[in-house]
Amino acid sequence: MKHRIVVLGAGYAGAFAAGNLARRLSPSDFEITVVNAVPDFVERMRLHQLAIGQDLALRKLTDVFAGTGVRLRLARVTGVDPERRTVAVTGEDGDGEIEYDTLLYALGSSVAHHGVPGVAEYTFDVTGRSSALRLRERLSGLGEGGTVLIVGEGLTGIETAAEFAECRPDLSVALAARGELGAWLSPKARRHLRHAFDRLGITVHEHTGIEAVEPTRAIAADGTSIPADVTVWSAGFAVRSIAAAGGLEVAETGQIVVDRTMRSVSHPDVYAAGDCAYAIGENGRPLPMSCASAGFTNMQATAAIIARLTGSEVPTTGLKYHGNHISLGRRDAIFQMVDRDVRSRSWYLGGRTAARLKSGVLKGAGWGIAHPTFGMPKRKRRLATAPDRAGVRVDA
């Protein structure tokens, strides 16, 4: 019987991981199944562009995995049972279960509401394709002078505000920040960001925590009312409760607690990658939820899975966060490098060069997803002759 590897989620972490596994493992010994709720790969880092009216090329997962041997199951994951080694799903064919021998959990994250009244009912977000399209439809109906408020001064909030203001100068775009705009950037990069916002006409409400959202306004902690025909919520990410409900050990964030190899500390058949993994970086701090972390963790998880199942020594890949790349519309961007303690270095790259570099990063990520088995070795690795339940070779 073939060893069944199931990958949950086909985002940046899951799609790359499935491709790596297919590239390096022998189909004679392994069966790889990817479970995803939607039929297309979603370029999450570009959803703010989709929301403002730009068209993004769709990559169907059937095309992505064609010829790789990877099986695609279009279904939504509703539960995991790590004791029985099963995944509960629901889809067009109804409810069902998928059995696994090794599970890679990469379901990603969604917008975090933080319990703020009115967020669930009245706000929009850009964390998924369907939500971005819903926002796109709403924005298309706004006429000149319409007000848009982005809540959150993180990467998503900054990129969304800049993209909206550049593409729709007829709108009044504002951003609400709990602290100082770009406080985590170096002084020069912070000035660059402020100049970009001034150039784009974006109003910034600093030191403004939003305590409630209504249909046409947001209410700050001090009682100030900020008018908003559309409120876009980008105040952080949250993971679904599936892992915790299934009995996997999770952190307070709901992320799966993993060891240095991305293996669940409570269930050795389960690995996690991407936003849903509570992974400690080389600086001793949890990796942030980001595309960069998805890359680090999926490379480590796949390397560990392959090594343990084929009886090899488990390698370790780097878990060092190098910095942030921030789009400021289509013609401007910031590349901010950080040190070991995730403090911004004095050097940064900005302007058109940074924008071209960011565009290259996005295109490279998309190309890698579309060619999951590029550079496939002629000789693939076989399953170890005597694996235990965790997939580790047992020496005689």
Side-chain angles (χ1 to χ4, degrees), residues 1-10 14 18-19 21-22 27 30-36 61-62 64-75 98-99:
M1 182 178 177
K2 293 183 181 181
H3 187 95
R4 300 161 298 184
I5 301 175
V6 175
V7 179
L8 303 184
L21 293 168
F30 298 94
E31 177 182 290
I32 303 169
T33 301
V34 174
V35 183
N36 202 59
L61 293 174
T62 51
V64 167
F65 295 122
T68 66
V70 173
R71 300 182 177 186
L72 176 64
R73 176 76 177 268
L74 291 179
I98 302 172
E99 296 180 338

Side-chain angles (χ1 to χ4, degrees), residues 165-179:
E166 181 178 271
C167 292
R168 290 287 305 274
D170 60 311
L171 298 178
S172 176
V173 178
L175 183 142
R178 278 191 171 274

Side-chain angles (χ1 to χ4, degrees), residues 111-140:
V111 66
H113 292 168
H114 301 300
V116 176
V119 171
E121 296 85 357
Y122 304 121
T123 70
F124 298 79
D125 66 81
V126 291
T127 60
R129 181 176 173 81
S130 60
S131 58
L133 288 173
R134 175 173 164 263
L135 173 55
R136 177 178 176 139
E137 182 179 3
R138 179 69 181 93
L139 291 173
S140 67

